Amino acid sequence: MAKVAIIYYSQTGTTHLLAKAVEDGAKAAGAETRLLKVKETAPDELWGNNPVWKQHIEETSGIAEATNEDLEWADAIIFGSPTRYGLPAAQMKAFIDQTGALWAKGALTDKVGSSFTTTATQHGGQEATILALNTAFYHWGMIIVAPGYVEPSQFQSGNPYGASFTSNNGKLDPDEVAITAGKLQGRRVAEIAARLKGA
């Protein structure tokens, strides 16, 4: 059984919903999972004046924040972030930036890594964000597993890099195509991590 950590940042809930689909896919493959959020670093006066942002923070207050211990625990790590100008959200980057001690001792070497994202608009930086997240995996010596075009459903989602969704500026929740892509990614990561663990 693979241990899979799904670590995400979500401002309004879109990426959170996709993260849950990824977790469902990993569980369907028999993985033990941890669904974790990264710490909110935006000042209270910023998110406190945004009712949707504030509501999401309150609704997910029961989800634990990711730590370095979670990264060490996992056989596979799946990052999820909304895009910010074609890059991961600063909150996710802040989490990645505090992993230096793990990197220095090689604690993440040979684990499986994968990434997914959401954007407000079409062509809003989905592939660029996933590739940026994957860059950390290269530095950590991890093995990147992408969904690819391994099933017919992927020709609907059209993103072999990782599950993604366009929310139309937060007006839409992930649709069935995106949920299917998320489940496939979670399942595929869990299956390959289990094979590597048993090799």
Side-chain angles (χ1 to χ4, degrees):
M1 178 188 292
K3 296 180 288 188
V4 180
I6 301 97
I7 299 174
Y8 74 95
Y9 174 72
S10 188
Q11 181 178 318
T12 61
T14 307
T15 309
H16 168 72
L17 291 173
L18 195 52
K20 287 169 63 176
V22 172
E23 183 187 32
D24 287 345
K27 283 183 174 178
E32 180 183 354
T33 63
R34 290 184 184 178
L35 180 66
L36 304 158
K37 62 186 179 184
V38 298
K39 184 175 181 165
E40 181 59 79
T41 59
D44 292 358
E45 60 267 21
L46 187 60
W47 61 261
N49 292 324
N50 183 318
V52 177
W53 195 345
K54 183 177 180 181
Q55 179 181 347
H56 180 65
I57 286 175
E58 291 170 352
E59 289 175 348
T60 57
S61 61
I63 296 177
E65 290 181 355
T67 67
N68 280 357
E69 186 277 327
D70 295 306
L71 296 177
E72 288 196 274
W73 166 86
D75 300 308
I77 300 162
I78 307 176
F79 282 152
S81 174
T83 187
R84 295 291 185 265
Y85 311 112
L87 297 166
Q91 290 85 344
M92 178 61 75
K93 183 64 167 56
F95 174 74
I96 292 170
D97 285 350
Q98 55 79 47
T99 60
L102 297 181
W103 166 78
K105 66 180 182 178
L108 306 177
T109 303
D110 296 336
K111 293 177 185 277
V112 170
S114 199
S115 303
F116 63 94
T117 191
T118 60
T119 56
T121 60
Q122 188 176 19
H123 308 300
Q126 293 176 353
E127 292 173 7
T129 300
I130 290 171
L131 292 172
L133 286 167
N134 287 354
T135 299
F137 299 144
Y138 293 123
H139 285 258
W140 293 341
M142 291 175 61
I143 300 159
I144 294 174
V145 173
Y149 290 110
V150 299
E151 291 186 3
S153 64
Q154 280 298 99
F155 289 91
Q156 289 184 289
S157 75
N159 193 340
Y161 299 88
S164 60
F165 180 69
T166 303
S167 70
N168 189 22
N169 288 303
K171 295 176 184 172
L172 303 173
D173 287 339
D175 59 16
E176 192 57 36
V177 171
I179 296 297
T180 299
K183 289 179 179 178
L184 168 63
Q185 186 168 359
R187 188 180 81 237
R188 183 164 157 75
V189 167
E191 288 172 349
I192 292 177
R195 285 184 215 166
L196 289 170
K197 188 175 182 179

